[in-house]
């Protein structure tokens, strides 16, 4: 862990380089993280940030033999529970700067996308957590106490960078009336009561205003609806998303067809990939021209899935390839929950603490992946050549391309 030392000297060497390259503390200051008395915000931020990689919660650390060398429990919890800190501004600024660094190193032919998805932030055993609501688990059909962690990220199919998120609650939940209405915490609470499509549009506006750029917005079937598609297209972005087989209607020569009827009207696709079945150009009731591609369900061979796009210039193969990038956000959710112990590190009741700790976990994934990549880059070229010469051809074919440098 870290001691009370100034600057970046308290960080491990693996994280110190990431902090310096990404200018994390600079974005923290620009977001208004300041204190008049006591330990600085930079020190407390680094303390909690490093704690994520030790697989130990704050209580266990204070109970250990080194607990006397760390600040008291109240100092950390006051920092995480503060309503005036702009955690969203910090995350969006840091994410946008990371995107610009990554984008400058990638080819112009590579597609960059925004990805929107939600994941459950579970607190099923809690009773007094602020704005906690009951949501239905569609896999089991039962209700649990949780939030909907609606997340916006950027990806180029190799690097995923989180840009923004919101912990959504139920519109019937009651807010804490004692919070200053001018604070960032009050605005986050107001946002938690809004519907998800409205929050998605706001997150995209903030990301575009901060300087993040992408060509497409990828969405799951829970969000691919005509009103949200229209809002995204109005901002100069194209949409690629899965379509749910419900009561949606598509216009073909003046007739309104359901998704099943649209599949019957679609023409078969002559493609080398057997999973691509049919494709058709149609129109949404709002007047937006779209292309719908039907692909075979992997686990249920007799069923099909539908993918919609507003970019009519794409081939059916490109539509499938770009939509496959959406899986990056699922890997991100798995990483922050399993490896960085989101939902388990701090068991606070305040909504501000949930926001602050979640924000700390998001950039931690970028630092973690960056340290792994640099560790691979330390292998010298000569050692890689000798290893390749002595190993089998099958092993050489699986050697990662970033394991040697010149």
């Amino acid at each position: 862990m870290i001691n009370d030392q100034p600057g970046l000297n308290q960080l491990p060497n693996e994280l110190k380089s990431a902090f310096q390259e990404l200018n994390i503390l600079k974005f923290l200051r620009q977001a208004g993280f300041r204190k008049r008395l006591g330990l600085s915000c930079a020190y407390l931020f680094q303390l909690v940030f490093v704690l994520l990689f030790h697989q130990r919660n704050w209580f266990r650390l204070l109970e250990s033999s080194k607990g006397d060398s760390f600040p008291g429990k109240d100092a950390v919890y006051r920092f995480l529970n503060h309503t005036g800190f702009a955690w969203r501004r910090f995350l969006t600024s840091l994410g946008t700067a990371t995107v610009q660094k990554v984008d400058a190193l990638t080819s112009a032919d590579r597609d960059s996308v925004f990805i929107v998805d939600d994941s459950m932030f579970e607190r099923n055993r809690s009773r007094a957590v602020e704005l906690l609501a009951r949501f239905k688990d569609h896999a089991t059909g039962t209700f649990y106490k949780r939030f909907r962690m609606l997340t916006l990220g950027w990806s180029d199919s190799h690097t995923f960078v989180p840009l923004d998120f919101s912990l959504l609650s139920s519109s019937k939940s009651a807010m804490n009336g004692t919070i200053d209405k001018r604070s960032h915490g009050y605005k986050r609470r107001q946002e938690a009561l809004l519907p998800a499509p409205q929050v998605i549009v706001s997150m995209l506006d903030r990301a575009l205003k901060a300087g993040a750029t992408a060509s497409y917005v990828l969405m799951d079937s829970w969000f691919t609806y005509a009103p949200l598609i229209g809002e995204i297209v109005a901002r100069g972005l194209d949409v690629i998303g899965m379509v749910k087989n419900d009561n949606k209607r598509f216009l073909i020569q003046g007739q309104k067809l359901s998704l099943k009827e649209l599949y019957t009207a679609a023409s078969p696709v002559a493609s080398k990939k057997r999973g691509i079945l049919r494709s058709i150009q149609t129109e949404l009731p709002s007047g937006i021209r779209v292309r719908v591609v039907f692909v075979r369900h992997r686990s249920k061979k007799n069923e099909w899935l539908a993918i919609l796009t507003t970019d009519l210039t794409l081939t059916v193969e490109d539509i499938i390839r770009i939509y496959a990038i959406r899986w990056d956000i699922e890997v991100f959710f798995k990483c922050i929950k399993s490896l960085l112990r989101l939902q388990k590190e701090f068991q606070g009741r305040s909504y501000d603490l949930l926001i602050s700790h979640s924000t700390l976990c998001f950039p931690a994934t970028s630092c973690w992946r960056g340290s792994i990549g640099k560790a691979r880059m330390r292998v010298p070229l000569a050692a890689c050549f000798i290893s390749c010469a002595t190993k089998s051809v099958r092993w050489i074919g699986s050697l990662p391309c970033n394991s040697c440098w010149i």
Side-chain angles (χ1 to χ4, degrees), residues 62-117:
L62 293 179
E63 292 293 326
S64 65
S65 58
K66 298 181 180 180
D68 296 335
S69 61
F70 299 106
K73 178 181 65 175
D74 294 341
V76 174
Y77 275 93
R78 279 196 299 266
F79 172 72
L80 296 176
N81 286 320
H82 201 287
T83 60
F85 293 153
W87 289 101
R88 167 168 283 155
R89 188 190 309 168
F90 163 73
L91 178 61
T92 303
S93 301
L94 176 61
T96 303
T98 306
V99 167
Q100 292 172 353
K101 287 180 177 293
V102 173
D103 199 25
L105 302 175
T106 56
S107 172
D109 299 331
R110 183 176 295 175
D111 296 305
S112 58
V113 299
F114 290 128
I115 307 176
V116 177
D117 200 3

Side-chain angles (χ1 to χ4, degrees), residues 316-383:
V316 290
E317 290 82 4
D318 288 338
I319 295 172
I320 305 302
R321 176 183 56 83
I322 296 174
Y323 183 74
I325 304 176
R326 197 198 69 83
W327 189 252
D328 289 354
I329 198 170
E330 303 291 350
V331 178
F332 168 75
F333 288 146
K334 181 66 175 180
C335 175
I336 60 175
K337 290 182 179 180
S338 300
L339 301 178
L340 298 179
R341 296 174 58 85
L342 182 69
Q343 313 169 138
K344 299 178 181 179
E345 194 77 32
F346 284 89
Q347 296 293 328
R349 299 179 181 179
S350 170
Y351 188 77
D352 296 297
L353 187 143
L354 302 179
I355 292 293
S356 59
H357 182 249
S358 301
T359 307
L360 282 163
C361 290
F362 276 42
T365 58
S366 301
C367 295
W368 180 44
R369 291 178 180 177
S371 62
I372 293 177
K374 289 187 176 181
R376 292 179 177 176
M377 293 291 288
R378 295 193 188 104
V379 182
L381 180 63

Side-chain angles (χ1 to χ4, degrees), residues 269-274 276 279 291 293 295 314-324:
V269 175
S271 176
K272 295 181 179 179
K273 297 185 177 181
R274 299 179 180 179
I276 302 177
S279 174
R291 178 189 293 274
V293 179
V295 297
L314 292 176
T315 63
V316 290
E317 290 82 4
D318 288 338
I319 295 172
I320 305 302
R321 176 183 56 83
I322 296 174
Y323 183 74

Side-chain angles (χ1 to χ4, degrees), residues 172-184:
K172 300 179 181 179
S173 302
M175 292 176 51
N176 188 352
T178 61
I179 299 175
D180 189 353
K181 295 183 179 180
R182 300 168 296 178
S183 64
H184 295 282

Side-chain angles (χ1 to χ4, degrees), residues 55-272:
Q55 298 293 311
R56 299 174 66 182
N57 58 33
W58 181 238
F59 174 76
R60 293 299 181 187
L61 181 64
L62 293 179
E63 292 293 326
S64 65
S65 58
K66 298 181 180 180
D68 296 335
S69 61
F70 299 106
K73 178 181 65 175
D74 294 341
V76 174
Y77 275 93
R78 279 196 299 266
F79 172 72
L80 296 176
N81 286 320
H82 201 287
T83 60
F85 293 153
W87 289 101
R88 167 168 283 155
R89 188 190 309 168
F90 163 73
L91 178 61
T92 303
S93 301
L94 176 61
T96 303
T98 306
V99 167
Q100 292 172 353
K101 287 180 177 293
V102 173
D103 199 25
L105 302 175
T106 56
S107 172
D109 299 331
R110 183 176 295 175
D111 296 305
S112 58
V113 299
F114 290 128
I115 307 176
V116 177
D117 200 3
D118 63 343
S119 181
M120 291 303 171
F121 190 99
E122 297 183 4
R123 295 296 295 269
N124 196 41
R125 299 181 63 182
S126 302
R127 295 184 179 181
V129 176
E130 187 179 1
L131 294 179
L132 190 64
R134 294 172 63 87
F135 289 97
K136 184 178 181 180
D137 189 345
H138 297 278
T140 60
T142 56
F143 286 84
Y144 295 99
K145 298 177 183 177
R146 58 183 65 180
F147 296 92
R148 288 180 62 192
M149 189 171 64
L150 184 64
T151 305
L152 171 68
W154 178 94
S155 178
D156 62 350
S157 77
H158 289 275
T159 304
F160 179 83
V161 180
L163 297 177
D164 202 350
F165 78 98
S166 179
L167 294 180
L168 300 183
S169 179
S170 173
S171 59
K172 300 179 181 179
S173 302
M175 292 176 51
N176 188 352
T178 61
I179 299 175
D180 189 353
K181 295 183 179 180
R182 300 168 296 178
S183 64
H184 295 282
Y186 184 82
K187 296 176 182 178
R188 296 294 291 256
R189 287 168 171 82
Q190 280 187 316
E191 182 188 64
L193 307 180
L194 298 177
Q198 186 175 346
V199 179
I200 291 174
V201 174
S202 301
M203 290 195 297
L204 286 172
D205 288 339
R206 285 190 293 267
L208 293 173
K209 184 178 180 181
T213 58
S215 302
Y216 304 97
V217 178
L218 308 185
M219 302 183 296
D220 200 1
S221 59
W222 299 106
F223 307 106
T224 311
Y225 288 91
L228 181 57
I229 294 174
E231 293 287 344
I232 296 174
V233 171
R235 285 155 176 79
L237 298 170
D238 285 306
V239 175
I240 301 179
M242 190 77 69
V243 184
K244 188 183 297 186
N245 189 9
D246 52 11
N247 58 355
K248 294 186 184 68
R249 292 296 182 266
F250 301 88
L251 299 180
I252 295 291
Q253 298 179 353
Q255 297 182 352
K256 293 184 178 181
L257 304 180
S258 64
L259 194 60
K260 289 184 178 181
E261 295 171 340
L262 191 68
Y263 175 79
T264 305
S267 57
V269 175
S271 176
K272 295 181 179 179

